[in-house]
Amino acid sequence: MTAVLKHELRGYFHSLTAYVFGAFLLAFVGIGALLYNIQAAVSNFEFVLNFSSLVFVVIVPILTMRVLAEERKQRTDQLLYSLPISTTQVVLGKYLALLTVYLIPLCVIAVYPLIFAQFGDVYLLTSYGSILAFFVMGAALIALGVFISSLTDNQGFAAGIGIAVILLNYYSVSLSEYVSSSTFGSVAALCVLILAFGAIVKHLTQNEHLAYAVCLVLAVLTAAACFLDGNGLEGLLPAVMTRLSLFDRFHSFVNGVFDMTSIVYYGSVIVFFLFLSVQSLEKRRYN
Amino acid sequence: MIEIEHLTKRYGEHTAVSDLSFTVESGGIYGFLGPNGAGKSTTMNIMTGCLSATEGRVKIGGYDVFEQPDKAKRLIGYLPEQPPLYMSETPEEYLRFVGEAKGLRGAELAGQIEEVIRQTRLTEVRRRRISALSKGYKQRVGIAQALLGNPAVIILDEPTVGLDPIQIIEIRDLIKELGRSHTVIFSSHILSEVQALCDQIIMIAKGKLVAFDRPENLEKHLLSPNEIILTTDAPADEALVLLNGIDHITDLSVKEESDGFATAHIKTDLSDVYTLSRAVFSAFAAAGKVLLEMTVKKANLEDIFLELTDSDPAEAGEPVKDAENTEESEAAEE
């Protein structure tokens, strides 16, 4: 794992990736600090982070797009498979390298509240709580990016899908106000989700029958839930959209609440997507 | 060293490798021979843990590749068909990564990198970017990678494809050198290459083992020589008359050469071809004509290969060409 970690880090710092990523993040946070802390003279650094979280939509896909897609394209994945290291070690090594690249600009950012504290009262606990949450949220988005990169051998495609997914996640709370909250709306949305899930199952397992079976079982469950407790499904879709939003959970940290459930949630998202990435790589060995 | 038992690999409907079993002893050079799409790459990918098998087992040095991948993979160095190189690195950086991944550290790592760079003659280009290297050098970086960690088995998938004649000779010399201290398995569809280098030949066609023997044994067992080529200073028509007077000639062709000589190709149904040689010699001597040259045409691997791979068209299932396309389209999908 350390071999992969060192190798990846060397790659990031020999190419522009790490620098572009750091520059973007620092520039965005810098602009935020200028607007909120200096021009508007607000002493809350957490507002800056809240403003800057939009930058993840662009920089996370840029950082993660090539991580596994490029291995596949250059056929270097064959080397990784034949080396005496497991797929889990490969994915973890790569992920830790990405976290390191992400952590470096964040260390610079962590100095800002201390600087502002020289000129007024800064709520340092909230600031650093938010910076920590900012790191964990970014880590969750990077895990998502790694998984998307594992699905294709085309970097551009991985970046495009990554931007779309993260943007959708960013706006999912706002969008949830516009979607239907009726039972029918929820059932329709569930059907779409079931079909999408079936498509992913089919892609990952290359097994049509399994995908159809999964879809059928889920559809039957939905129908059963609908007949048994139709009203229970009311408002399900907006609720799910709000729950799935990674950005929405960040607001509680900005508001001064260090929410452990959200940290656990981010942790589970990381584990979930890294697990899927390992499976996605393992699957390639089977067909 | 390597035990392969009932190995089968299916891609959906298409069977790439079917019930393949063989054992490779420790030491020596093994040639893995077969037409394109025969399942060579698939088998090698399975042996090195890059691909899973549908059925069957592969053991390297007693360790199962699927159950104890860590231990088994430490015994193998593998060069896939397309050398897996990180183009933006230098050979040194690349070898450092592979060495570390193989568990080498510190002085041992540095020492081994020096050793493989020397062995594969990469000294001149060790600090150049791999993307700027010629194909021959890239191939050597790929081989250097496989040698790191001093694995007992070295598996090379078509190591000479796409190289120029000088590079091919260099790689062949390297393989010969490696064969003294390692077990080397390399695949090829070039027969002369395999014939020149290998101690043993593993021949597969359509995913099945068709032969596993020493090259000279293969020739001896499968085709006994039955053809003689001779050159005489007699004119063609006289030579034809002489040869027609000899028994047991099944096929005869005589050609007049520009310098007044004649060459003849004769085939016999006799089990001992030298009986025919004696008869020819006596006939020409009796007529006072000189035989300038007489050779028994030896069967070469090419003939054996064609005979073995085409002998069973009924059982073959899909034609080779189709199999190749399927493999390619699958590679593209991946």
Side-chain angles (χ1 to χ4, degrees), chain B residues 65-107:
Chain B
V65 169
F66 310 116
E67 277 154 28
Q68 296 161 288
D70 222 51
K71 284 180 177 150
K73 283 181 193 171
R74 275 179 203 283
L75 298 173
I76 310 174
Y78 179 42
L79 171 72
E81 206 169 348
Q82 192 185 334
L85 307 172
Y86 295 100
M87 293 299 169
S88 59
E89 298 178 350
T90 66
E92 256 183 17
E93 290 171 333
Y94 174 70
L95 293 175
R96 180 164 301 272
F97 162 61
V98 176
E100 282 177 357
K102 288 187 177 180
L104 303 172
R105 294 286 178 272

Side-chain angles (χ1 to χ4, degrees), chain B residues 40 43 106 108 189 198 234 284 323 334:
Chain B
K40 298 191 297 287
T43 310
E108 198 194 0
H189 55 256
C198 295
F284 276 78
E334 281 175 33

Side-chain angles (χ1 to χ4, degrees), chain A residues 58-242:
Chain A
V58 181
I59 62 172
V60 167
I62 286 177
L63 184 66
T64 58
M65 62 183 185
R66 59 161 284 283
V67 62
L68 294 169
E70 188 65 6
E71 299 271 0
R72 209 157 140 178
K73 183 149 198 169
Q74 300 289 347
R75 295 291 191 99
T76 42
D77 53 344
Q78 280 203 313
L79 173 72
L80 297 179
Y81 286 131
S82 70
L83 287 174
I85 41 177
S86 68
T87 318
T88 313
Q89 284 174 313
V90 171
V91 170
L92 277 183
K94 281 174 173 284
Y95 182 65
L96 290 179
L98 289 169
L99 282 193
T100 313
V101 170
Y102 171 43
L103 206 56
I104 290 168
L106 218 55
C107 288
V108 177
I109 290 167
V111 182
Y112 295 180
L114 286 178
I115 296 173
F116 294 136
Q118 305 296 315
F119 303 101
D121 282 337
V122 177
Y123 307 107
L124 285 180
L125 271 180
T126 335
S127 296
Y128 283 105
S130 297
I131 289 178
L132 181 65
F134 193 73
F135 171 68
V136 182
M137 177 174 72
L141 289 170
I142 289 173
L144 170 67
V146 170
F147 171 61
I148 290 171
S149 180
S150 77
L151 295 175
T152 170
D153 60 1
N154 185 332
Q155 290 192 31
F157 188 66
I161 297 283
I163 289 174
V165 169
I166 297 177
L167 197 64
L168 211 64
N169 195 281
Y170 187 83
Y171 284 116
S172 71
V173 177
S174 322
L175 285 175
S176 72
E177 287 167 21
Y178 298 100
V179 298
S180 164
S181 61
S182 65
T183 308
F184 177 74
S186 297
V187 171
L190 277 175
C191 288
V192 172
L193 280 180
I194 289 169
L195 287 178
F197 184 68
I200 292 175
V201 169
K202 191 179 164 222
H203 178 73
L204 282 181
T205 60
Q206 304 283 332
N207 187 337
E208 272 183 42
H209 302 298
L210 181 68
Y212 289 137
V214 167
C215 282
L216 196 68
V217 169
L218 288 175
V220 168
L221 284 177
T222 312
C226 186
F227 278 113
L228 290 175
D229 184 13
N231 295 333
L233 290 177
E234 213 166 282
L236 183 70
L237 184 56
V240 167
M241 283 176 75
T242 316

